[in-house]
């Protein structure tokens, strides 16, 4: 909303309504919802950082990515890896300063380092790696046909949108 020219108030109000609407539904609120909300702030700050090239935005993107890592490790690490590659690409093309990558990484490490300090690496390994690896496969069995159906639906919708909008002109996005 902000990057499209909307106001900061409307973006914040919309995201807070979405977040609190999810909290009211106690059955489905869990670490996935929290991490998605935090990841959306990380994406917002990264977009602002790449647009304005200010250190504060790179740091804020890193902090929210680090908090996302704490809530849901796979999503947070994928986000950090994606942002890292994107920033490396921009830094090598001299579109952002190289120290921005370090500022982002520093922000990313704050909250995971606090969690590792409080609980220790062995406890975290047991609770986040070993226990889920031993217990989740028996509980989370999803047939491959469901995954292929979801992939087919995604590709069908993507193809339909592409056909409706026509071919994308790359000069439009420079």
């Amino acid at each position: 909303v902000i990057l499209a020219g909307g106001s900061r108030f409307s973006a914040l109000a919309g995201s807070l309504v979405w977040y609190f609407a999810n909290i009211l539904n106690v059955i489905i609120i869990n670490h996935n919802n929290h991490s998605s909300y935090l990841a959306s702030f990380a994406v917002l700050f990264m977009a602002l950082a790449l647009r304005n090239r200010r250190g504060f935005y790179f740091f804020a993107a890193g902090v929210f990515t680090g908090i996302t890592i704490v809530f849901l490790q796979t999503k947070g690490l994928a986000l950090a890896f994606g942002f890292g590659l994107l920033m490396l690409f921009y830094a090598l093309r001299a579109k952002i300063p190289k120290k921005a990558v370090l500022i982002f990484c520093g922000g990313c490490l704050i909250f995971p380092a606090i969690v590792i300090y409080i609980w220790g690496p062995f406890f975290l390994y047991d609770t986040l790696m070993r226990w889920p690896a031993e217990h989740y496969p028996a509980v989370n069995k999803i047939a491959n046909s469901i995954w292929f159906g979801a992939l087919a639906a995604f590709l069908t919708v993507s193809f339909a949108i592409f056909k409706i909008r026509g071919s994308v002109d790359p000069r439009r996005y420079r």
Side-chain angles (χ1 to χ4, degrees):
V1 173
I2 293 173
L3 296 176
S7 72
R8 288 188 173 129
F9 175 76
S10 63
L12 181 61
S15 64
L16 287 176
V17 165
W18 174 79
Y19 185 70
F20 287 119
N22 279 318
I23 285 179
L24 294 176
N25 191 352
V26 179
I27 295 170
I28 64 167
I29 188 75
N30 59 21
H31 59 280
N32 294 305
N33 294 40
H34 290 304
S35 66
S36 296
Y37 188 71
L38 295 165
S40 66
F41 274 107
V43 170
L44 169 69
F45 280 114
M46 181 55 72
L48 290 171
L50 294 174
R51 183 184 209 186
N52 300 326
R53 296 175 183 85
R54 292 192 49 209
F56 168 77
Y57 292 132
F58 287 109
F59 183 74
V63 167
F64 278 105
T65 302
I67 298 172
T68 304
I69 292 171
V70 169
F71 272 89
L72 190 61
Q73 293 74 40
T74 52
K75 183 185 293 181
L77 290 173
L79 189 66
F81 182 73
F83 282 164
L85 285 178
L86 179 70
M87 291 180 62
L88 197 59
F89 175 75
Y90 272 88
L92 291 175
R93 298 189 78 196
K95 298 207 180 236
I96 61 170
K98 290 181 178 43
K99 72 176 185 176
V101 178
L102 296 175
I103 293 170
F104 171 77
C105 291
C108 265
L109 294 175
I110 294 172
F111 284 97
I114 291 170
V115 169
I116 290 171
Y117 176 76
I118 292 172
W119 284 296
F122 297 113
F123 174 75
L124 292 173
Y125 174 78
D126 281 343
T127 58
L128 298 176
M129 302 290 280
R130 191 180 58 77
W131 192 90
E134 292 174 1
H135 295 90
Y136 280 8
V139 177
N140 291 335
K141 290 193 180 215
I142 298 176
N144 286 338
S145 59
I146 293 175
W147 291 114
F148 287 122
L151 178 62
F154 172 75
L155 292 175
T156 302
V157 169
S158 300
F159 182 74
I161 290 172
F162 180 75
K163 288 307 254 181
I164 290 169
R165 294 183 68 190
S167 63
V168 176
D169 184 8
R171 292 174 292 176
R172 181 173 159 192
Y173 297 103
R174 287 187 183 167

